[in-house]
Amino acid sequence: MNNLSVNEIQRFSFDHTNVRGERVLLNSAYQEIIQRKEYPLPLEKLLGEFVAAIALLRDIIKIDGVLSMQAKGNGFLSTLMTECDEFQNLRGIVQWDEEQTVPDTLSLKELLAGGYLVITIQPRNGQRYQGIVEVVGDTLAECLEQYFLQSEQLPSRVWLAANGSQCGGLFLQRLPQEQAKAGDTDAWDRFTHLASTVSEDELLGLDTETLLHRLYHEEEVRMYDSKQMQFGCSCSRQRMLDAVMSLGAEEIRQLLIEQSAIKVDCQFCAEQYEFKEADLVDMLGDQAQTH
């Protein structure tokens, strides 16, 4: 099947082994993200991989809050960021040097030119945690595998794909051996070998049950309830007002003199917020007045 109208993530495990997995497939949720800005197709695909990746990470790292992943570097790709909250709301953005021609094939390592990935865990209540991952491989999947090995000391494999219409991902992880119910010692090697045969068309064109049956029809696969995902932006007028206030009274006053109003666009959803002098006087007092 192609062009599946699906926006969901689903967890699965293999009976009598210590291997678990996740599969995500996104259609309209991904399209809403990339339609907010005019991206070249190679960047649409790369952003799609990041969106699929943050969805997988969010379901693995269970917190009451927001999980984000940001790539920063010194190449023409300056920033790439995706987020997912506990309600499965996704958003993402890419910023790049738009004067340069985007190559048809992208190596993450070359794009970021010595950059790194930052994975941020921000609970609604609690302390923020950040993990920094060096971009050591050519793909995002390789970077995430390195992240899980460093942070959880658990072998993990990731497969990601995007084509400008859909994005998807497959994740396998080997849990501590004592969680296996039987002595299936080669399960991890067998499952990862089979998963490595998955094609982009299969990853993006098959529902989860069909995909897992095609890969593991001789295995005992246990599937759990799927979760729906969607595009959702966390911007608000108050958050944008807080950003304006951080500029300081003098700069705000100068902007009001020059423009009569301060307009702020959300980079993720393109929503525009406008603040006039009357909106700011109560917070800044006479310092905000322009006459």
Side-chain angles (χ1 to χ4, degrees):
M1 290 179 288
N2 292 313
N3 297 319
L4 292 174
S5 181
V6 174
N7 295 285
E8 65 181 24
I9 188 165
Q10 192 161 14
R11 185 167 62 94
F12 60 90
S13 61
F14 299 91
D15 286 353
H16 312 300
T17 77
N18 59 334
V19 181
R20 66 174 180 179
E22 302 270 355
R23 194 285 175 98
V24 64
L25 181 61
L26 304 170
N27 185 301
S28 60
Y30 164 50
Q31 292 172 23
E32 285 196 61
I33 291 173
I34 61 176
Q35 288 170 1
R36 303 287 162 169
K37 186 173 181 177
E38 189 173 341
Y39 294 113
L41 181 58
L43 290 184
E44 286 185 351
K45 292 180 178 180
L46 184 62
L47 180 54
E49 290 190 11
F50 269 75
V51 171
I54 198 66
L56 289 170
L57 284 169
R58 183 63 187 79
D59 208 54
I60 297 162
I61 304 172
K62 301 185 184 302
I63 58 164
D64 181 18
V66 178
L67 182 71
S68 65
M69 179 168 57
Q70 186 171 9
K72 287 190 173 184
N74 302 311
F76 84 91
L77 181 64
S78 57
T79 299
L80 196 163
M81 184 176 183
T82 53
E83 287 185 352
C84 187
D85 65 17
E86 69 269 39
F87 305 109
Q88 286 78 54
N89 292 313
L90 296 157
R91 67 177 191 167
I93 191 172
V94 180
Q95 295 175 328
W96 76 101
D97 183 352
E98 297 185 30
E99 294 183 359
Q100 294 194 34
T101 301
V102 178
D104 292 334
T105 57
L106 300 176
S107 162
L108 192 64
K109 193 172 184 179
E110 292 177 355
L111 277 178
L112 296 176
Y116 54 90
L117 297 178
V118 179
I119 296 174
T120 303
I121 301 171
Q122 180 63 71
R124 298 294 178 193
N125 298 294
Q127 190 173 8
R128 186 172 79 160
Y129 168 80
Q130 284 191 326
I132 297 178
V133 185
E134 183 182 359
V135 180
V136 293
D138 290 331
T139 67
L140 176 59
E142 291 176 275
C143 295
L144 292 179
E145 290 169 0
Q146 182 70 12
Y147 169 77
F148 278 108
L149 192 60
Q150 290 177 348
S151 64
E152 299 187 7
Q153 288 80 52
L154 295 174
S156 305
R157 291 295 310 276
V158 181
W159 294 265
L160 301 168
N163 60 11
S165 296
Q166 294 168 285
C167 66
L170 180 65
F171 171 84
L172 293 179
Q173 188 172 68
R174 185 174 66 185
L175 300 171
Q177 184 60 38
E178 56 267 21
Q179 296 193 29
K181 297 180 180 179
D184 192 351
T185 56
D186 69 340
W188 173 249
D189 291 338
R190 187 170 71 253
F191 296 154
T192 54
H193 173 74
L194 291 170
S196 296
T197 67
V198 70
S199 67
E200 179 177 306
D201 287 344
E202 289 174 323
L203 199 55
L204 299 178
L206 298 176
D207 62 80
T208 301
E209 184 176 0
T210 303
L211 176 66
L212 294 180
H213 178 74
R214 182 169 294 189
L215 292 174
Y216 302 115
H217 58 275
E218 295 183 354
E219 308 290 346
E220 296 180 65
V221 183
R222 184 180 301 273
M223 298 178 63
Y224 302 88
D225 291 341
S226 62
K227 297 178 184 177
Q228 295 301 304
M229 311 197 80
Q230 60 281 322
F231 168 78
C233 191
S234 59
C235 72
S236 67
R237 184 171 178 81
Q238 183 59 52
R239 291 184 69 173
M240 292 302 180
L241 178 59
D242 292 343
V244 171
M245 296 300 295
S246 69
L247 297 175
E250 184 59 36
E251 186 171 350
I252 290 173
R253 184 175 182 275
Q254 188 61 40
L255 287 172
L256 289 172
I257 292 172
E258 296 171 356
Q259 305 172 11
S260 76
I262 299 175
K263 296 180 180 180
V264 184
D265 295 336
C266 175
Q267 295 180 326
F268 289 93
C269 70
E271 182 75 20
Q272 185 176 83
Y273 297 85
E274 182 177 277
F275 302 97
K276 297 181 178 180
E277 182 178 326
D279 299 316
L280 301 168
V281 167
D282 288 344
M283 302 189 73
L284 292 179
D286 293 342
Q287 297 178 80
Q289 295 182 358
T290 58
H291 58 275

